[in-house]
Amino acid sequence: MKSSILLFSGFAIATLLSACAGSNNAGENLDVPTNMPPICRDIDFVEQPDMREMCGVRTVHTLAYKNIPQQRYLIKPQETSIVKSGEKLELRFQNSLPLLLEGPITEEIEFSQQKRLEKIKNSYDYHEIYNKGAQRIRIFKMGIPTDKGNVYSFCFRIPEKKGNARTRSVAMGNHIEALSCEDFDKLVAENAKTK
């Protein structure tokens, strides 16, 4: 009798642990596209599986396949997101080529199905500066907070578009360039002195 009670309680504990383990990674086998329309971005595809087909979400049957791109949106500028593919982390702006993010930030942002629905509350500081030659310099700084509580700053420069409206380079959008944050702060400080 004692052995059957122990066997039953051992089976109950094993079932409970496997159920808990299964709930933690719910949705990890979903391939969520990184180019979804805005209406699909706030849907929990674990809770609403009937929306998967309409939004282009598919189930990946081999869990060993880990190179599924995962995405989280930032609050500003609109349509900006961070995409993780394999070990690479990219910052993606609308109508621009992706920018590679490097450093400790790559280990501190989570990309689970639950976190996918949370926007990253970043800061965004944009400046347009005109130098003596009346040339316009567009620069901005982004402070990106991570799930571990740290905030990392990244600075960029938006070069002027080349060509005219009929050339392909203009039609393809901006090619944003990385800029050191020391140079960003220096340009902003110099511009404040001239005003």
Side-chain angles (χ1 to χ4, degrees):
M1 181 73 172
K2 275 186 175 179
S3 62
S4 63
I5 291 173
L6 288 173
L7 181 64
F8 177 73
S9 62
F11 177 73
I13 291 171
T15 305
L16 181 64
L17 289 175
S18 66
C20 291
S23 65
N24 283 345
N25 58 4
E28 295 299 315
N29 62 337
L30 295 179
D31 180 9
V32 180
T34 57
N35 59 350
M36 281 194 303
I39 197 167
C40 291
R41 291 179 190 158
D42 297 326
I43 295 174
D44 186 343
F45 296 110
V46 176
E47 296 290 324
Q48 300 178 32
D50 54 322
M51 298 296 290
R52 292 178 188 173
E53 185 177 348
M54 185 171 58
C55 293
V57 176
R58 64 185 179 92
T59 304
V60 178
H61 297 290
T62 53
L63 292 176
Y65 181 66
K66 291 291 186 185
N67 200 23
I68 300 170
Q70 298 167 306
Q71 182 174 38
R72 290 191 58 192
Y73 280 90
L74 282 69
I75 58 168
K76 43 187 156 175
Q78 286 187 341
E79 303 299 316
T80 305
S81 65
I82 295 178
V83 175
K84 182 177 185 176
S85 180
E87 296 301 314
K88 286 197 315 182
L89 208 61
E90 293 177 341
L91 183 62
R92 295 188 181 179
F93 297 94
Q94 194 173 21
N95 299 324
S96 183
L97 297 172
L99 293 157
L100 193 66
L101 292 180
E102 295 177 320
I105 192 170
T106 58
E107 303 293 325
E108 296 185 20
I109 295 181
E110 295 177 25
F111 289 89
S112 63
Q113 283 297 316
Q114 182 183 359
K115 288 289 185 182
R116 179 185 70 80
L117 300 172
E118 294 179 19
K119 287 192 174 180
I120 297 173
K121 294 178 177 145
N122 67 303
S123 61
Y124 178 71
D125 186 17
Y126 175 81
H127 293 272
E128 282 191 16
I129 298 169
Y130 291 87
N131 63 12
K132 293 177 183 174
Q135 179 188 13
R136 180 174 70 162
I137 301 170
R138 296 182 296 165
I139 55 175
F140 64 95
K141 179 191 272 191
M142 294 181 79
I144 303 175
T146 66
D147 297 304
K148 292 194 175 176
N150 297 318
V151 177
Y152 296 99
S153 294
F154 297 92
C155 298
F156 304 98
R157 179 178 177 270
I158 306 171
E160 294 299 320
K161 293 181 179 178
K162 297 175 183 175
N164 57 42
R166 296 172 61 178
T167 62
R168 186 174 173 86
S169 63
V170 169
M172 291 300 285
N174 292 320
H175 179 73
I176 297 172
E177 301 171 350
L179 175 74
S180 75
C181 287
E182 290 81 16
D183 289 343
F184 174 90
D185 294 336
K186 185 179 173 185
L187 285 166
V188 171
E190 287 175 359
N191 186 53
K193 287 178 187 175
T194 59
K195 286 186 175 180

